[in-house]
Amino acid sequence: MAREMRLKIIKAPRFKGDADFLPPSAISHIYSFLKDKGFDISQEDLNAKNSPCDKRKIFGSTYKKRLVSIFSKGFSGYLETGRNSHYEHIAAQYLPDEALASTDILLISICYSDFCSSMAALLIARYFKSRDPYKTVIMGGESLEKSYVYEKFETYAALGIVDYYILGPGEESLWMLLRKLKGDKVSLKSLPGLCYRQDGKIFKNEPVRKARLVIPDFTGLNLADYTWDGSAFFGKISPKVFPWRNILVLPFRMIDGCPHRCAFCASPDLSQKKISCIEPQEAVRILRRLSDAYKTPYFMFLHDTFNFSNDFISSFCDEIFKADLKIFWSDSLSLKAAHSRDLLLKMYDAGARRLFFGLETASPAQQAYTGKNVDLAGAARVLKWSHETGVWTGIQIIVGFPNERGDDIKHTLDFIAANAASLDVVKLQKFYLRHYTYMERYPRKYGITNVREYGSLSHLVARHRGQNRYCFDEIGGLEWSQKEKQIEQAYRLLDSTITGLKLKSYRPKDELNVLFYLYSCLKEKPKIKAVFDLYQSRLKKTNKLLVDVPDLE
């Protein structure tokens, strides 16, 4: 009787930023899905803060300064031959002998936002295949972003490093592919998002945006790696007010899709505005199960738009009340949807403690250009209502849209300043051209031309290019060299304003853990805001907390 295939799924190392304080969503979904299908599978997060594979242990504390030498000089030669003692030593720490021997099929989830994650995935895959070329490597990532490995699949498939790549949500395609590898009759060309090599030719199937809503399973992950102890920072102020309490935040998704048609976002083009969701009563039942299983009441909902339906939100809150489920949660909302003060208050009572609203720009011209079409006066009212409920309220701003100019930036600056009293945080990011967006598919319509890869392999490694791997020129406007400078100048201006208004997050990786801890200890938002601001002020200096805080008892 043939032995069952043994699978291992790993989250590839990331080299930008610190370790996450959130268990990995993508691999825990794949693990759960395949485990339920009867596969023998294990999972590991190579970004976990206490992992034996910590980048500082492997590459030294100065690894960020040496990325070019790590992933450029000699690295291509190792990928071609599989022979280099230096890289073998590194890879062996990611895949020790025990993991090699117990794995037949290696699944690697790439962090698309970090270019060096693709390099690390290739390093691990080469080492795995060099030990046994008959074993299988499948790469992918939940995002629809085309990673460097996907773009160069023909090269790495020919070298025998990677056998398959799945672009986009991969549960169904991966399941069918594994059935094919077990001997079932499955047509590879029917699997959405699958990239494969057959008869010397490369085939890349069109992906789908729609994802299966799966209950995550974190078995095998050391959840202590994602736990934040608030008393370590705040206990010195007042042990009575700030007791020992470990904060573990779990990712959860009950909605897939987005009804809006923003030109820079990949959601609408491939989902055709279709929404799928877990019914509120079932969603609350699952949240109860996760809360009990992992002993935490804290959740980060991972939705493009939570408020696709006010009726859904209201029903969800009602089910939380009926179940007497005491949880805190965070999510993202659209400012295009109808809002009411009463609904926002209901969300707060049901556990909402941080809400991010997608504004992106406060320029009327850019709102029309991107298809956001947000009523800015209405947006200001919604932010005020959200703040008044006690919710930690934030907006997202994108700087550098094609044909964005000084007046557009001024509109955004003025909006932030005018509404600063209603805001707690502004998340600022630079525009990048995403795959499967209207802008990417119809560039001339949006004033874009000459789209090309940003630079050489060494340049991409040095700049950690992940999301922003492509540059462009504006039709009748700025060439990329000018545009890049303009984006950087505008970003610095906005960042300076946000910093001056105390709306910048200095360590967003654990911000939600900190907020949930403060909300669990303090009831009044002004006190939470005061302590959080002091925490932030010390973070940007010595990474220790100031103790001169207002009276909290």
Side-chain angles (χ1 to χ4, degrees):
M1 188 176 194
R3 176 174 52 79
E4 190 69 21
M5 294 186 303
R6 298 166 302 179
L7 282 60
K8 183 179 182 69
I9 184 167
I10 62 174
K11 181 178 179 181
R14 189 188 63 246
F15 291 81
K16 288 174 66 175
D18 298 319
D20 291 328
F21 275 88
L22 193 72
S25 172
I27 69 170
S28 64
H29 279 82
I30 294 289
Y31 172 85
S32 176
F33 181 77
L34 294 180
K35 181 181 175 183
D36 287 346
K37 295 294 184 184
F39 286 95
D40 179 2
I41 184 171
S42 62
Q43 61 179 329
E44 184 176 2
D45 178 9
L46 298 184
N47 283 302
K49 64 180 179 181
N50 292 319
S51 167
C53 305
D54 183 277
K55 294 178 286 292
R56 291 173 179 81
K57 296 176 183 176
I58 294 177
F59 300 110
S61 59
T62 62
Y63 72 90
K64 290 184 179 180
K65 297 179 181 179
R66 299 188 297 108
L67 285 176
V68 173
S69 63
I70 292 170
F71 289 123
S72 293
K73 299 174 181 178
F75 184 63
S76 296
Y78 174 66
L79 295 182
E80 291 176 4
T81 66
R83 293 188 298 274
N84 182 301
S85 59
H86 171 65
Y87 289 111
E88 287 180 339
H89 173 72
I90 293 173
Q93 296 178 71
Y94 286 120
L95 278 182
D97 290 342
E98 181 181 353
L100 283 170
S102 62
T103 304
D104 300 309
I105 299 179
L106 183 64
L107 313 174
I108 306 178
S109 178
I110 295 174
C111 305
Y112 77 94
S113 62
D114 184 341
F115 180 79
C116 290
S117 179
S118 289
M119 299 295 100
L122 290 170
L123 169 66
I124 294 167
R126 164 48 81 196
Y127 181 70
F128 180 75
K129 296 282 280 188
S130 67
R131 292 300 177 270
D132 188 342
Y134 296 102
K135 291 186 175 184
T136 302
V137 170
I138 306 172
M139 293 190 190
E142 187 175 11
S143 170
L144 283 162
E145 301 295 335
K146 297 177 182 177
S147 73
Y148 180 81
V149 178
Y150 178 86
E151 296 278 29
K152 308 295 183 182
F153 180 82
E154 181 173 7
T155 297
Y156 297 120
L159 289 172
I161 297 174
V162 57
D163 300 289
Y164 304 96
Y165 191 104
I166 298 177
L167 180 65
E171 292 90 350
E172 296 287 346
S173 291
L174 181 54
W175 174 40
M176 297 302 290
L177 174 59
L178 292 172
R179 286 181 54 190
K180 171 76 171 180
L181 296 177
K182 288 177 68 174
D184 292 352
K185 291 185 178 181
V186 175
S187 171
L188 294 181
K189 66 180 181 181
S190 69
L191 306 185
L194 182 65
C195 182
Y196 60 101
R197 187 170 185 254
Q198 192 173 70
D199 299 327
K201 297 180 180 179
I202 298 297
F203 298 88
K204 293 185 175 182
N205 300 342
E206 190 71 9
V208 294
R209 171 61 180 83
K210 190 175 180 62
R212 176 182 281 263
L213 294 169
V214 177
I215 303 172
D217 186 335
F218 306 106
T219 301
L221 299 175
N222 182 9
L223 295 183
D225 288 342
Y226 313 99
T227 301
W228 191 88
D229 176 13
S231 64
F233 286 91
F234 301 108
K236 66 183 73 173
I237 300 173
S238 170
K240 181 179 178 181
V241 176
F242 299 114
W244 176 86
R245 186 173 295 146
N246 278 335
I247 306 296
L248 170 65
V249 181
L250 298 180
F252 181 68
R253 186 175 62 189
M254 56 184 157
I255 303 166
D256 182 68
C258 179
H260 306 301
R261 303 178 67 86
C262 303
F264 54 85
C265 180
S267 289
D269 194 25
L270 291 176
S271 65
Q272 288 81 48
K273 301 180 70 173
K274 293 179 181 178
I275 300 289
S276 59
C277 64
I278 300 173
E279 290 302 316
Q281 185 177 24
E282 177 65 9
V284 170
R285 186 190 68 79
I286 295 170
L287 287 167
R288 165 82 72 187
R289 175 176 141 193
L290 291 171
S291 180
D292 290 347
Y294 300 107
K295 298 179 173 55
T296 181
Y298 308 112
F299 292 90
M300 181 177 181
F301 296 164
L302 305 175
H303 303 132
D304 293 320
T305 306
F306 183 52
N307 56 333
F308 74 95
S309 162
N310 285 352
D311 288 341
F312 178 89
I313 294 177
S314 184
S315 296
F316 175 69
C317 294
D318 287 339
E319 293 298 332
I320 287 179
F321 300 145
K322 289 178 189 176
D324 193 29
L325 182 62
K326 306 299 184 184
I327 60 172
F328 284 172
W329 49 274
S330 167
D331 210 344
S332 300
L333 284 79
S334 168
L335 283 165
K336 291 178 70 173
H339 293 268
S340 71
R341 188 196 303 265
D342 289 344
L343 184 58
L344 287 165
L345 183 58
K346 188 174 186 178
M347 292 167 66
Y348 178 86
D349 290 340
R353 289 299 181 269
R354 186 184 73 174
L355 296 176
F356 262 107
F357 295 87
L359 179 66
E360 277 66 63
T361 174
S363 161
Q366 288 292 305
Q367 280 283 331
Y369 167 77
T370 59
K372 289 290 293 185
N373 297 317
V374 168
D375 173 7
L376 295 171
R381 287 194 298 273
V382 170
L383 296 174
K384 184 173 185 292
W385 293 339
S386 178
H387 166 70
E388 289 173 348
T389 67
V391 167
W392 198 262
T393 303
I395 57 173
Q396 178 164 302
I397 298 295
I398 298 176
V399 61
F401 284 118
N403 298 302
E404 186 175 67
R405 296 295 181 262
D407 287 348
D408 301 308
I409 296 297
K410 186 177 185 304
H411 280 296
T412 300
L413 287 167
D414 291 345
F415 183 92
I416 293 172
N419 294 281
S422 301
L423 294 170
D424 299 295
V425 62
V426 176
K427 183 179 178 181
L428 180 64
Q429 70 177 68
K430 299 174 184 178
F431 170 79
Y432 67 96
L433 191 60
R434 298 183 64 181
H435 297 290
Y436 296 104
T437 62
Y438 291 129
M439 284 185 173
E440 191 245 0
R441 292 198 166 191
Y442 314 107
R444 295 195 65 82
K445 177 181 178 181
Y446 293 95
I448 300 171
T449 188
N450 197 21
V451 177
R452 58 210 184 267
E453 196 166 76
Y454 195 86
S456 66
L457 178 61
S458 296
H459 186 79
L460 291 168
V461 169
R463 298 289 293 272
H464 287 244
R465 292 281 173 182
Q467 295 167 312
N468 188 12
R469 281 182 35 232
Y470 300 93
C471 55
F472 57 88
D473 301 326
E474 297 174 344
I475 297 175
L478 301 177
E479 294 183 353
W480 179 250
S481 60
Q482 301 167 307
K483 183 66 179 178
E484 187 176 32
K485 292 177 182 177
Q486 182 212 42
I487 292 173
E488 188 61 36
Q489 290 171 354
Y491 183 91
R492 290 180 180 177
L493 178 59
L494 279 161
D495 184 67
S496 175
T497 300
I498 292 167
T499 301
L501 293 169
K502 295 184 178 180
L503 298 176
K504 180 175 180 175
S505 176
Y506 286 96
R507 197 161 70 183
K509 293 292 182 186
D510 63 1
E511 177 189 285
L512 190 55
N513 305 67
V514 176
L515 288 174
F516 282 159
Y517 177 79
L518 293 178
Y519 271 102
S520 72
C521 297
L522 302 169
K523 304 304 179 186
E524 300 172 25
K525 186 176 176 182
K527 291 183 178 180
I528 293 171
K529 177 73 170 174
V531 175
F532 186 82
D533 284 348
L534 288 168
Y535 167 74
Q536 289 269 88
S537 71
R538 182 52 78 186
L539 271 185
K540 63 178 181 176
K541 293 179 181 178
T542 65
N543 216 33
K544 295 180 181 178
L545 181 69
L546 287 171
V547 296
D548 50 335
V549 297
D551 182 20
L552 300 171
E553 301 188 39

